[in-house]
Amino acid sequence: GMHLAGCRIDEVIGDGATATVYKAHHLVLDIPVAVKVFHDIQQQCGNETMNRFLTEARVVARINHPNVVAVMNAGEERGYYFIVMQYVRGGSLFDLLKQRVEFRLTDFVRVFVDLCSALSAAHQQTVVHGDLKPANILITHSGKAMLGDFGLVRVLRKYRGEDPSKVIKGTPMYMSPEQARGGIDVGVRSDIYSLGATMYHVITGRPPFEGLTYRDVIRKHLDEEPLSPSLINPSVPPLLSSLIMKTLRKDPEERLRSAE
């Protein structure tokens, strides 16, 4: 019932460590929207996180693509920092994996062609997503995939020579080796690795590496080779299995060059 950014807040649809996402109704446009409200962002996180918040809004707003969740507004009101986004009817790829939904090959291809198209559009804007994973991929009721939550994104032109301790971190199960090392060489091919790890999870039913702790998983990304997807799921075509394995090479130079 609260009003924020010209929207009436209706219900919680997602909650994380730094923000809560609400389903809301835009009062002027008369459409449903998603409003991401950050938790005490200035008091708890300082200017660095506030700047990352504003970067997220500006960057995503300029990526005009049907497979990227659109940003409609962002700012601060009465102490609340927010982003108003397109509301996507459906659920996340993570939800489908939790439900152990099995993807037919045609559905798998459709989802990942959509995601490659979205990533290609972002990369053309010199933007690296930096945290590509099933929870950040929304699947509409019609089966279209949409990439959201560029919260860890960096604009490559602005981060040359950045302190390695401050580079984007990502999520361990889908994290590229260069992210795991905390290096400054995180780029387009880091997203391709994370996309490949996500593809691997969807087509085999499990991520490429698992462990008892995050440290175990990160070590495997650095030191071990995953099993070929076709060894886990014999129905995976050899060419697809080979393509996924090429996205997961330790050396970024040995991976596919682009999402396109």
Side-chain angles (χ1 to χ4, degrees), residues 12-246:
V12 175
I13 55 176
D15 199 20
T18 60
T20 299
V21 181
Y22 299 90
K23 183 181 178 183
H25 191 84
H26 198 290
L27 299 174
V28 174
L29 299 179
D30 193 26
I31 58 171
V33 292
V35 180
K36 185 175 185 178
V37 181
F38 290 78
H39 305 153
D40 300 326
I41 187 169
Q42 187 171 15
Q43 294 85 346
Q44 292 186 8
C45 303
N47 289 333
E48 181 181 349
T49 300
M50 286 177 62
N51 290 335
R52 191 169 69 182
F53 154 73
L54 293 172
T55 298
E56 173 181 0
R58 294 189 192 107
V59 166
V60 182
R62 77 171 187 241
I63 303 172
N64 183 17
H65 191 276
N67 298 110
V68 174
V69 178
V71 167
M72 303 166 64
N73 190 13
E76 180 271 336
E77 188 175 304
R78 303 194 307 279
Y80 295 100
Y81 288 85
F82 63 84
I83 296 178
V84 180
M85 300 173 289
Q86 173 186 4
Y87 176 68
V88 179
R89 299 183 188 277
S92 72
L93 184 57
F94 177 73
D95 295 331
L96 296 178
L97 290 172
K98 280 200 305 183
Q99 297 163 19
R100 299 190 178 276
V101 172
E102 291 189 12
F103 281 76
R104 294 177 301 174
L105 187 59
T106 52
D107 295 332
F108 174 91
V109 169
R110 180 181 180 185
V111 164
F112 285 97
V113 165
D114 284 350
L115 293 173
C116 285
S117 183
L119 269 185
S120 182
H123 293 163
Q124 286 172 21
Q125 296 281 353
T126 67
V127 171
V128 173
H129 188 287
D131 194 23
L132 200 156
K133 59 184 178 181
N136 289 337
I137 297 164
L138 302 178
I139 309 295
T140 70
H141 291 314
S142 65
K144 181 171 79 170
M146 300 187 68
L147 183 57
D149 201 349
F150 282 70
L152 294 177
V153 48
R154 67 188 203 168
V155 182
L156 293 180
R157 292 194 187 106
K158 294 185 178 180
Y159 283 78
R160 301 301 184 189
E162 184 183 33
D163 184 338
S165 68
K166 296 180 180 179
V167 298
I168 55 179
K169 294 179 171 58
T171 300
M173 283 195 294
Y174 311 97
M175 180 187 294
S176 69
E178 57 270 25
Q179 284 174 289
R181 286 191 295 268
I184 62 173
D185 56 342
V186 176
V188 165
R189 297 192 192 190
S190 306
D191 276 349
I192 288 174
Y193 185 99
S194 297
L195 180 70
T198 302
M199 293 171 71
Y200 190 106
H201 192 167
V202 172
I203 206 72
T204 66
R206 71 190 201 197
F209 300 111
E210 297 178 288
L212 294 177
T213 67
Y214 282 172
R215 189 180 296 275
D216 289 339
V217 177
I218 288 172
R219 180 188 58 77
K220 291 178 181 180
H221 279 293
L222 291 171
D223 300 331
E224 297 186 13
E225 295 295 330
L227 287 173
S228 172
S230 58
L231 292 178
I232 302 171
N233 179 358
S235 69
V236 178
L239 282 174
L240 176 58
S241 186
S242 176
L243 181 144
I244 292 172
M245 291 297 286
K246 195 166 184 179

